[in-house]
Amino acid sequence: MGTKIVPVSTTRKSLSKKQQALEILVRLKRLYPNATCSLNYSTPVQLLVATILSAQCTDERVNKVTPELFSRFPDAASLANADLFELENLVRSTGFYRNKAKNIQAACRMIVCEFDSVVPNKMEQLLRLPGVARKTANVVLAHAYGINAGVTVDTHVNRLSQRLGLTEHSDPIRIEKDLMGLLPQADWENWSIRLIYHGRAVCKARSPACDACKLADLCPAANKPVMIVRQHK
């Protein structure tokens, strides 16, 4: 008596990549109807600062830091003129605090000197600010100004976009380009927000809950061939 390994593939809808992305979008909207930016802020400059602080740090931790920070330094002018040592201490628990404090102050000085104390609302201008890459710029444009200039790619969006088979890239810029080609521009930012919610709640980095995932039938990572052992006499 021997054994034979028989591959059995689970069922997955036959959709084009664009159809797949649009169906995922519909389901994400249904799953997380009230999803919004998790960072607490009152003004565009506060959103900019909070997003810079969120690099390699949870939004929850940032939201614990910013009340005192914004109470002490509420606007671009006050941040530009802040004592750097005090600024570092206020943001210390977000990690990489020296670099973040330096970038925040330098960005605010540029905002004051070159943009009349107003956070710019154009991608090319935002990208000139110290500490600002496309992720931060996309967040600020979408949530402060209602402009969908691109798709915000954080660690959750990066991970889930690969698992869902929507991109073969790991570089955030290339992932963003792929997603922009698959999704309607009006949904670029709410896609990111909802995918982030799903990444936190279900599709976690180390232990994705595929059995409970409402996207599993659309996800190649959740539908790998199952190996069944059959006995033959």
Side-chain angles (χ1 to χ4, degrees), residues 48 110-111 114-115 118-138 140-141 145 147-150 176:
L48 175 72
M110 185 178 288
I111 290 168
E114 298 189 27
F115 300 105
V118 177
V119 176
N121 62 359
K122 291 181 172 57
M123 175 65 74
E124 61 271 19
Q125 293 175 333
L126 282 167
L127 293 178
R128 290 177 53 208
L129 300 177
V132 175
R134 283 194 64 91
K135 172 197 162 185
T136 299
N138 279 326
V140 171
L141 289 172
Y145 297 116
I147 299 171
N148 287 317
E176 181 183 8

Side-chain angles (χ1 to χ4, degrees), residues 14-33:
S14 179
L15 300 173
S16 70
K17 193 172 288 188
K18 190 157 194 171
Q19 289 172 324
Q20 179 192 5
L22 293 175
E23 176 61 23
I24 291 169
L25 176 63
V26 169
R27 296 191 194 183
L28 288 172
K29 287 182 177 181
R30 191 182 306 135
L31 288 168
Y32 310 102

Side-chain angles (χ1 to χ4, degrees), residues 6 14 17 25 60 81-82 110 118 128 132 142 146-147 163 171 184 188 191 220 223 232:
V6 181
S14 179
K17 193 172 288 188
L25 176 63
E60 182 181 9
N81 293 300
M110 185 178 288
V118 177
R128 290 177 53 208
V132 175
I147 299 171
R163 285 181 177 173
D171 175 65
W188 283 351
W191 161 274
N223 288 287
H232 290 274

Side-chain angles (χ1 to χ4, degrees), residues 157-176:
V157 176
N158 189 317
R159 180 177 72 254
L160 270 66
S161 295
Q162 292 181 64
R163 285 181 177 173
L164 289 164
L166 300 178
T167 183
E168 296 178 356
H169 301 295
S170 58
D171 175 65
I173 301 296
R174 293 187 176 185
I175 292 173
E176 181 183 8

Side-chain angles (χ1 to χ4, degrees), residues 12 162-165 210 216 218-224:
R12 186 159 77 91
Q162 292 181 64
R163 285 181 177 173
L164 289 164
C210 297
L218 298 168
C219 180
N223 288 287
K224 293 180 179 179

